[in-house]
Amino acid sequence: MKRTAFIAIIGRPNVGKSTLMNAMLGEKVSIVSPKPQTTRNRIAGILTRGEDQFVFLDTPGVHKARNRLGNYMMRSVRSSVRSADGVILIADAGYDPGQVEINLIKQIKESELPAILVLNKMDLIRKERLAETIAAYARLHDFVAVVPSSAKNGKNVSEVISESEVFLTESDWMFESDDLTDQRERQIASEIIREKLLKALNEEIPHGAAVVIEAFSDEEDIIKIRATIFCEKESHKGIIVGHKGEMLKKIGTYAREDLEAFYGVKVFLDLWVKVKENWRDNDNLLASFGYDSKTID
Ligand code: GDP
Ligand code: MG
């Protein structure tokens, strides 16, 4: 009998949501970055084992919305919880629950969904600290399971999957058994390029940048991709392109290597940079960059 579960992965920025989801899938579907707020859209990661299909919904980290893009991100968290059968709340194993976690637990209680607590980054702390964190969370909510983990090192990742079996209900699958994500290949390409941009640059430029895939052709033994990085200012463009184009070349090389690993074929990447002022507060531009508010809720 086939079973399915939709599972929302929620938690503050940077706790390791995307790392955990990728580790559970064994593939890089969601981008991971030491900089917070890198996951903009809800991304589904699909894991099919035997008769069971898990659909994990990686969400943007919870934070105060500072612009319309931020608003969009927060609505996408709430809509993930609404469409889920269960919740994985991830928190840092080294800290007592803060305001963000308290609010998320409130949302969990209101939704009446079963929830697993994953206490991540256990590699960074002592055992005694972990015990204190577990006790502090136990006072707030009755989780169906508490799993200490180190998603980055793959520690206890399989435990999170087996605990997630409580979320499964008898139903037809929504995806094919070998589907990995609901993201179209173009979206994955754009996320990989944005990840390299984040890695290569600091501060506010990456958050003001969007990557649009202009052309994507899957040929016999090569994928050809033409992509444009949109940034908000001429001066940002100068930084992204770099002296004699060196920065852009570096971003392109790293992105191409990852894209080739993901698709398993050679990739030709043609990368451009353009300026579009204030795109983060322009609904039409947001939609054309793929952050369309009509596609959530
Ligand atoms: P998200 O914002 O919640 O999706 O967090 P990410 O998955 O992007 O991870 C944020 C940062 O934490 C990245 O630099 C990860 O490599 C790092 N990280 C994730 N899991 C662990 C872990 O178990 N231990 C340690 N030390 N770092 C981790
Ligand atoms: Mg993330």
Side-chain angles (χ1 to χ4, degrees):
M1 195 56 86
K2 283 192 170 141
R3 300 192 294 174
T4 305
F6 277 75
I7 302 160
I9 303 178
I10 62 175
R12 70 170 68 214
N14 232 24
V15 290
K17 294 178 295 299
S18 300
T19 306
L20 177 73
M21 189 172 89
N22 291 337
M24 290 193 289
L25 303 181
E27 287 267 0
K28 194 154 157 186
V29 167
S30 200
I31 74 172
V32 171
S33 160
K35 299 190 182 76
Q37 295 157 39
T38 48
T39 307
R40 284 176 179 168
N41 281 300
R42 178 188 66 66
I43 293 172
I46 300 147
L47 177 69
T48 306
R49 296 202 314 186
E51 299 281 275
D52 299 337
Q53 186 164 77
F54 301 89
V55 183
F56 296 104
L57 309 169
D58 186 12
T59 58
V62 176
H63 69 289
K64 280 216 180 66
R66 261 170 298 174
N67 49 37
R68 288 196 192 184
L69 176 61
N71 264 329
Y72 169 84
M73 288 160 71
M74 288 309 90
R75 284 175 49 209
S76 120
V77 172
R78 281 194 291 273
S79 84
S80 290
V81 172
R82 269 205 304 277
S83 56
D85 303 303
V87 175
I88 294 177
L89 172 64
I90 311 196
D92 194 309
Y95 298 91
D96 280 354
Q99 200 53 53
V100 171
E101 286 76 21
I102 289 167
N103 287 341
L104 288 174
I105 289 172
K106 201 171 139 222
Q107 276 193 49
I108 290 170
K109 286 184 196 294
E110 280 166 5
S111 71
E112 294 177 8
L113 291 173
I116 294 171
L117 174 66
V118 173
L119 294 173
N120 194 37
K121 307 199 184 182
M122 65 183 287
D123 52 295
L124 299 178
I125 56 152
R126 292 174 300 112
K127 276 214 180 72
E128 302 78 52
R129 177 60 252 187
L130 177 61
E132 286 164 24
T133 311
I134 292 174
Y137 276 96
R139 284 194 286 274
L140 294 180
H141 190 67
D142 189 14
F143 290 95
V144 297
V146 178
V147 186
S149 73
S150 179
K152 195 178 172 179
N153 306 319
K155 177 129 175 68
N156 283 356
V157 169
S158 59
E159 280 70 9
V160 179
I161 299 172
S162 45
E163 295 293 355
S164 298
E165 287 177 14
V166 301
F167 302 139
L168 290 162
T169 53
E170 235 173 69
S171 92
D172 275 340
W173 293 345
M174 301 283 288
F175 299 94
E176 300 295 319
S177 63
D178 58 354
D179 280 351
L180 199 57
T181 176
D182 66 343
Q183 295 262 294
R184 302 202 334 268
E185 290 191 321
R186 284 171 179 246
Q187 284 173 289
I188 292 171
S190 128
E191 287 288 280
I192 287 175
I193 295 166
R194 208 162 57 81
E195 179 188 50
K196 300 310 164 195
L197 185 72
L198 284 160
K199 279 227 171 87
L201 300 171
N202 310 313
E203 290 147 33
E204 73 240 35
I205 299 172
H207 288 306
V211 177
V212 174
I213 306 298
E214 317 269 8
F216 189 105
S217 68
D218 196 349
E219 291 165 25
E220 183 95 26
D221 46 9
I222 191 165
I223 292 176
K224 292 183 182 164
I225 300 170
R226 192 173 75 242
T228 304
I229 299 171
F230 285 98
C231 58
E232 294 186 311
K233 290 189 181 130
E234 271 308 322
S235 60
H236 291 176
K237 180 177 169 180
I239 295 168
I240 294 169
V241 172
H243 180 60
K244 292 188 181 162
E246 271 168 15
M247 182 61 82
L248 188 61
K249 202 171 152 198
K250 192 165 106 183
I251 295 166
T253 303
Y254 288 149
R256 183 177 47 75
E257 286 168 1
D258 251 32
L259 288 164
E260 288 182 343
F262 186 84
Y263 297 119
V265 293
K266 270 202 126 8
V267 169
F268 173 78
L269 177 62
D270 188 15
L271 202 51
W272 296 82
V273 184
K274 285 183 191 155
V275 179
K276 276 252 200 299
E277 279 175 25
N278 298 327
W279 67 265
R280 278 185 288 182
D281 270 319
N282 181 318
D283 283 333
N284 288 330
L285 287 177
L286 279 172
S288 74
F289 289 168
Y291 307 116
D292 189 344
S293 57
K294 287 192 282 297
T295 64
I296 54 173
D297 290 337

